Amino acid sequence: MRLSICLAALAATAALAACVPVDTRPHPILTDRGNRVQPTGKPGEFEVLTRPGDAGAQLWCAAGEYAESQTDARPSDRIYLVHPRGPSASHPGRKSAIFTVRPDAELLAQARALPDQIVLGVSKVGSNWARIHAQQVCRPLFNLPD
């Protein structure tokens, strides 16, 4: 009798869990390197907050990590710089850069107008990297022995 009550309770719990909606909207994350990244409210767009000493590589790394975990960006999809590093609108006193995985026509035109070069800077609107390449800058080039 007690076993049947336990099984019934377990089945009811499983059925209830199946009915709970899962929120699949992008949400803020804290990257492995400690950058806070949050959606801006526009589809595919997100803000990477800087940390002291961050260079472009750290911001691209954070953008790649966010694009992988919070958007439907495939490894070959590109991440575009929408707003260069500067004062954050959402966090007064902080600096940030804004990226997107869903560029509009104007941003695509700005990207095409940039010279072909490999630069990890976050100062030119339209700069872009494939998601997988942005994530590659997260890893050290060499693992030096201690």
Side-chain angles (χ1 to χ4, degrees):
M1 175 84 172
R2 289 180 7 148
L3 180 60
S4 63
I5 292 172
C6 288
L7 289 175
L10 184 59
T13 302
L16 182 59
C19 295
V20 176
V22 176
D23 187 1
T24 59
R25 292 176 297 178
H27 60 275
I29 67 166
L30 188 63
T31 67
D32 291 340
R33 291 179 177 241
N35 292 91
R36 179 176 170 80
V37 187
Q38 61 191 32
T40 65
K42 293 181 182 177
E45 190 175 278
F46 50 93
E47 178 180 30
V48 177
L49 294 165
T50 65
R51 293 171 23 101
D54 277 350
Q58 287 77 28
L59 300 182
W60 282 108
C61 169
E65 192 173 325
Y66 185 85
E68 178 183 36
S69 70
Q70 299 300 310
T71 73
D72 58 356
R74 297 177 308 253
S76 61
D77 289 345
R78 300 196 78 75
I79 302 169
Y80 293 82
L81 181 64
V82 177
H83 293 290
R85 180 186 359 216
S88 169
S90 65
H91 289 79
R94 302 273 312 265
K95 292 190 183 257
S96 70
I98 297 179
F99 298 87
T100 188
V101 294
R102 294 188 184 170
D104 58 21
E106 182 180 342
L107 186 57
L108 287 172
Q110 288 178 291
R112 282 191 291 272
L114 291 174
D116 287 335
Q117 55 184 329
I118 299 175
V119 178
L120 284 171
V122 286
S123 62
K124 294 182 181 176
V125 172
S127 297
N128 61 91
W129 283 80
R131 192 205 84 199
I132 193 70
H133 292 136
Q135 289 176 283
Q136 288 298 314
V137 299
C138 300
R139 294 163 183 80
L141 291 177
F142 304 103
N143 287 325
L144 300 175
D146 293 331

